[in-house]
Amino acid sequence: MTGAVVLALAAVGGAKSGLLPAGWNPWAPEGAVAQAPRGQGERTVPVDVAIAVKKRVPVRVDLLGTVTPIANVAVRARVDSEIVGVNFQDGAMVRQGDILFALDSRTLEAQLHQAEGTLAKDKALLEGAERDVRRYTDLVSKGATPVTNLDNSKTQVSTFEGAVKGDQALIENLKVQIGYCTIRAQISGHVSMAVVKVGNVVRQADLAPIATIIQTAPVYITFSLPQRSLPELRAALANESANIEAIVPGDPRKASGQVTMIENTVDPATGTVPVRATMPNADEILWPGTLVTVRLNFREEEAVTVPSIAVQVGQAGSYVFVIKDGVARVQPVKVARALESEAVLESGLEGGESVVTEGQLLLSNGSKVSARQIKAGS
């Protein structure tokens, strides 16, 4: 029998006989003696708490929407000519009436001068025919000339009057054509890059625009609203309480506006109805084509709120730990909706209760706690 075994047996025998202290461990380091467990009180769990607050909170839904321009213009040439000037920077802000492109108008101006000369000639012929009418009228009244001469003179007057009107119409048309050689902005907005530059020939038959202008203030936001929320929106519009906020990814600012249109039918395939809001967008937070988060506010109502991290989910539903007299108690709650970092409760709390926000995993119903209240912003 080895020495270690002998030592162990001796230790056991010594303990039974009272020669060695109870709990002595021969395998422990020299001098170590195991202590008998002492009676311990119930453990106190440190937790963080927050106060349930009753306040006015918005009733809202968050949806995805798209920024769309109210107006956009495709700039095209209305005459066949050469570009002699581009008067804007690509992507610049332009105002209605600003000159964008200048086209070569010399050919049209020459045709205008020619038409003006023809008009002057036809007016002179008209004046001569009118003199003939007056002269033949006097002669016919004296019986000095046949009536046929008077009738022929009247016909000449009518012919030259028609020629004068035709010349005037041609001149007006040429002036309009010359006006087309100066291409102006039809709306205010941001202009795209110029597709063609100075020296290029543009034609009226070209399908592609030479530039586009998009209005950026105001703009529309279009989004799809679930049909279950449609009655609330219509009621909010009737009470003039509906408004929206648009959140652009990466931008801390928010744009606000009003719902201005609900489509006249629900899409049966998706169960949604298209809705459009008008956004002033004076600071151009919203850019056409951007996908944004739409926060649609229907109204405000009184409700109890707690931090979302305070709400736990169990087999019986949602609950929170409420602290009273240093003891944590389970309190079932019904969550109506989430509001950023807060949970809006439909029932379960009245407001003013202390609820646990950190340390729930160590708690059970009736646990003693040491609470530390968390202030807003910490």
Side-chain angles (χ1 to χ4, degrees), residues 121-141:
K121 180 190 70 174
D122 290 339
K123 281 184 175 180
L125 294 175
L126 175 60
E127 291 175 359
E130 289 173 341
R131 287 195 300 270
D132 289 341
V133 169
R134 290 193 295 269
R135 184 172 65 253
Y136 284 126
T137 300
D138 184 56
L139 293 175
V140 168
S141 64

Side-chain angles (χ1 to χ4, degrees), residues 190-369:
H190 282 273
V191 65
S192 69
M193 66 179 69
V195 178
V196 290
K197 300 294 184 179
V198 174
N200 288 271
V201 175
V202 292
R203 295 177 175 81
Q204 187 177 359
D206 291 341
L207 297 179
I210 56 179
T212 57
I213 306 173
I214 292 181
Q215 179 179 319
T216 55
V219 293
Y220 289 140
I221 288 184
T222 305
F223 55 94
S224 295
L225 181 73
Q227 63 181 14
R228 66 177 179 274
S229 300
L230 182 57
E232 282 191 297
L233 176 57
R234 296 185 64 188
L237 289 176
N239 297 328
E240 297 183 351
S241 60
N243 62 84
I244 76 164
E245 290 181 331
I247 302 172
V248 181
D251 195 329
R253 299 174 297 172
K254 297 178 182 178
S256 59
Q258 299 292 328
V259 174
T260 52
M261 190 278 294
I262 302 175
E263 188 55 89
N264 58 8
T265 183
V266 174
D267 185 351
T270 61
T272 61
V273 57
V275 179
R276 188 171 66 197
T278 301
M279 316 295 289
N281 201 34
D283 46 7
E284 294 187 343
I285 297 175
L286 305 173
W287 204 250
T290 304
L291 190 67
V292 298
T293 298
V294 176
R295 184 163 290 166
L296 175 57
N297 300 302
F298 298 117
R299 63 186 183 280
E300 289 188 348
E301 63 182 16
E302 288 281 343
V304 177
T305 64
V306 297
S308 297
I309 58 175
V311 180
Q312 305 294 302
V313 180
Q315 293 181 347
S318 300
Y319 65 92
V320 297
F321 282 101
V322 176
I323 305 301
K324 187 176 182 180
D325 299 330
V327 177
R329 299 291 182 185
V330 172
Q331 175 62 48
V333 295
K334 187 175 182 180
V335 179
R337 60 189 177 277
L339 192 66
E340 295 180 352
S341 62
E342 294 182 322
V344 180
L345 304 183
E346 184 176 325
S347 61
L349 299 178
E350 299 296 327
E353 298 90 343
S354 294
V355 297
V356 177
T357 59
E358 185 69 31
Q360 296 98 322
L361 294 178
L362 301 177
L363 297 179
S364 60
N365 194 26
S367 297
K368 291 185 177 181
V369 297

